Amino acid sequence: MAAIDDLKSILNYYGLGSLVNSLSDKIIADPTLVASPDILLFSIKDTPEYKTRFKGNEQRRAAGLPELSPIDYINTESALRTTLSGNSLPKGFYDTQDDLASFIGQDISPNELNARVSQGYNAVMQAEPGTKAELKQLYGLSDGDIAAFFIDPTRFNQSDAIKKAQAAQVASEARRQAGFTLDVATAEGLATEGITRGQAQQGFQQIGATQELLGMDLQGETALTQAEQIAGTFGTNQAAAQRIATRRRKRQATFEQGGGFAATQTGTTGLGTVGQ
């Protein structure tokens, strides 16, 4: 019967094919129902199948947001899927019907999702490998967790996600430029101070270049710890910064006198001759 075929087509389009048999008698009695999908769908709005299929609307209603019509809901799902695939997210990353329902329920538009993916997830995943590695090292995150960091606000606070990403970038530069392994508190502390990846690169390059100077015992002075070198270089501890400045001045004076640093038998550092 043509009306039943139309019914199947409509219900399958909206993901409600399981209701075909239960609605067949109603369509046989009134074939005009399939002439208006909106009327047909409204007639089954209170069924468990409908509520499950459009459960993003249930979340919207609970949050005081207007429901989407079935066609708008389907179109929004399609736009969200296109956004995810267009940003090269792996298949299965937040593209299930439940994931899309969560986005719709929270009123996350395709444009907003695109911003979160392109500015957050992709910025990390396409960065140098160290940032991704540090997210895993510092926080034990899988690739899926990193995606959730930026995409799914129900799992991670967005500002917290950004701070952790910045901390991972700082930790990556510390490892690359100075061979330092930062703990969570140090990496997040620098991120909280507003240290950018570029500043981290420059600062840890500086530490790496003067590692021998800062890390060895000088006459009458003990070596600076890793924490002191970091705090002094990035200006988060003025006393440490002063120690670094003092040590650099001593080194400069040594070079001006034509000498270089050399370890003595007692473990302290004296002057040696440059070039010897």
Side-chain angles (χ1 to χ4, degrees):
M1 182 178 180
I4 298 298
D5 290 338
D6 290 342
L7 172 66
K8 290 179 180 178
S9 178
I10 293 170
L11 293 179
N12 285 335
Y13 178 78
Y14 288 101
L16 294 167
S18 62
L19 292 175
V20 169
N21 291 335
S22 63
L23 290 175
S24 294
D25 290 342
K26 183 182 291 190
I27 297 302
I28 291 172
D30 184 6
T32 61
L33 279 176
V34 295
S36 176
D38 288 341
I39 294 175
L40 174 65
L41 294 171
F42 185 81
S43 73
I44 59 174
K45 193 173 182 179
D46 292 328
T47 63
E49 291 85 354
Y50 183 97
K51 290 181 178 180
T52 297
R53 176 62 187 86
F54 297 104
K55 67 179 179 180
N57 272 339
E58 298 296 309
Q59 295 176 35
R60 292 177 69 87
R61 183 162 51 250
L65 296 169
E67 294 183 49
L68 301 182
S69 69
I71 189 61
D72 285 342
Y73 193 104
I74 294 292
N75 288 339
T76 301
E77 282 184 329
S78 177
L80 290 169
R81 282 197 178 95
T82 298
T83 296
L84 292 168
S85 62
N87 278 286
S88 302
L89 264 73
K91 187 173 177 59
F93 270 22
Y94 299 92
D95 60 359
T96 68
Q97 204 165 82
D98 283 347
D99 294 324
L100 300 179
S102 179
F103 295 144
I104 290 172
Q106 296 171 81
D107 205 28
I108 297 173
S109 69
N111 285 340
E112 181 180 350
L113 180 61
N114 182 66
R116 292 187 181 198
V117 176
S118 61
Q119 297 173 16
Y121 174 71
N122 280 346
V124 171
M125 299 298 282
Q126 295 174 4
E128 46 80 30
T131 299
K132 179 178 170 182
E134 289 296 339
L135 278 173
K136 294 182 178 182
Q137 172 70 27
L138 292 173
Y139 305 108
L141 300 178
S142 66
D143 286 356
D145 290 328
I146 295 172
F149 237 36
F150 298 97
I151 298 170
D152 188 352
T154 65
R155 292 183 59 184
F156 291 100
N157 176 275
Q158 189 73 1
S159 61
D160 186 58
I162 293 172
K163 181 180 74 173
K164 285 179 169 56
Q166 291 170 338
Q169 291 177 336
V170 169
S172 175
E173 292 301 332
R175 188 183 298 273
R176 287 202 312 144
Q177 308 298 339
F180 284 1
T181 299
L182 303 189
D183 57 21
V184 172
T186 301
E188 288 191 355
L190 290 172
T192 299
E193 289 290 333
I195 301 301
T196 66
R197 180 179 171 186
Q199 290 171 327
Q201 181 182 33
Q202 181 179 2
F204 284 110
Q205 276 181 344
Q206 183 174 304
I207 290 174
T210 56
Q211 184 66 41
E212 182 179 358
L213 167 68
L214 301 179
M216 65 168 55
D217 291 339
L218 294 177
Q219 292 175 333
E221 293 185 334
T222 58
L224 274 70
T225 66
Q226 176 176 306
E228 287 176 316
Q229 292 180 53
I230 293 172
T233 298
F234 291 100
T236 59
N237 183 304
Q238 289 306 311
Q242 184 59 44
R243 288 190 66 192
I244 291 175
T246 299
R247 188 155 300 188
R248 286 182 177 143
R249 283 197 298 271
K250 286 185 177 181
R251 182 179 188 180
Q252 181 63 34
T254 299
F255 284 142
E256 289 174 355
Q257 294 169 17
F261 292 108
T264 69
Q265 292 180 346
T266 61
T268 59
T269 304
L271 297 178
T273 304
V274 175
Q276 290 185 352

